[in-house]
Amino acid sequence: VIFDIPPFRPYQLLKLGLPYNYHTYEICCNFIDDMVDIATRLNLNILLKRKRKMNSNFHDKRYHNHITKLLKSSNNFFEIDYNLSAHYVISQTSATISFPFTSTALISRHLKIPSCYYDPTGLLFKDDIGSHGIKIFSCHNELSDWLKIHLNL
């Protein structure tokens, strides 16, 4: 299971006056695309649990369209209802991969489910305090090796 954070529309961010935003359309799509690529190479299914319902007034429509396209074109990419409790979903899975830094990785650790963060940019430090000691991967090989170990592949 992967957990994302849907990016906001650029206009919404400008209104807030933020100097830098990690949760951009490009970075969020890279996260999803990398997950699908790795899962395909390892012959795994991947389940996306969105943080919340997409709101066209606030969220980037391009991201929603990208997800919709992947759901139609990929044989191993599925979406879980965003209304389901993250705690429940995590308790039913073998491993979780979270977009930095969602609380789902902490829930996984609490439930003793293997968990990590994936940073598609390589910008985050491996020992970033926001990770709370949970591994941060930024390349395909690292994440693939981690999945092989934790899923007994």
Side-chain angles (χ1 to χ4, degrees):
V1 176
I2 61 172
F3 294 91
D4 76 341
I5 299 175
F8 286 102
R9 294 174 61 192
Y11 174 73
Q12 294 298 328
L13 297 171
L14 289 173
K15 286 189 337 185
L16 297 174
L18 298 174
Y20 177 75
N21 178 33
Y22 182 82
H23 301 101
T24 65
Y25 160 75
E26 292 82 5
I27 293 172
C28 292
C29 285
N30 287 342
F31 173 83
I32 297 293
D33 292 344
D34 286 356
M35 295 299 102
V36 171
D37 181 54
I38 292 167
T40 300
R41 287 192 284 131
L42 295 177
N43 197 29
L44 298 171
N45 287 327
I46 193 159
L47 305 172
L48 170 66
K49 166 72 171 74
R50 293 191 199 199
K51 186 174 182 82
R52 63 181 63 91
K53 181 179 179 178
M54 293 293 291
N55 179 327
S56 61
N57 291 327
F58 298 105
H59 294 110
D60 196 315
K61 294 173 191 171
R62 297 172 298 169
Y63 180 72
H64 175 72
N65 293 339
H66 186 74
I67 297 296
T68 301
K69 181 180 163 188
L70 276 174
L71 289 167
K72 290 178 183 176
S73 66
S74 179
N75 295 331
N76 67 335
F77 184 67
F78 307 95
E79 186 173 23
I80 299 171
D81 185 344
Y82 68 90
N83 284 316
L84 285 174
S85 155
H87 191 278
Y88 172 76
V89 170
I90 292 166
S91 71
Q92 303 299 309
T93 192
S94 302
T96 65
I97 303 169
S98 300
F99 192 87
F101 291 111
T102 61
S103 62
T104 52
L106 299 171
I107 295 169
S108 296
R109 180 170 65 188
H110 175 75
L111 294 175
K112 299 185 179 9
I113 303 290
S115 180
C116 68
Y117 291 111
Y118 181 72
D119 166 29
T121 67
L123 293 173
L124 301 177
F125 293 112
K126 299 287 185 190
D127 61 350
D128 189 301
I129 194 168
S131 74
H132 298 279
I134 295 170
K135 292 255 187 215
I136 302 172
F137 297 110
S138 59
C139 78
H140 285 213
N141 291 339
E142 288 177 330
L143 186 56
S144 292
D145 291 346
W146 182 84
L147 284 167
K148 288 175 188 175
I149 290 167
H150 291 288
L151 298 178
N152 299 316
L153 301 176

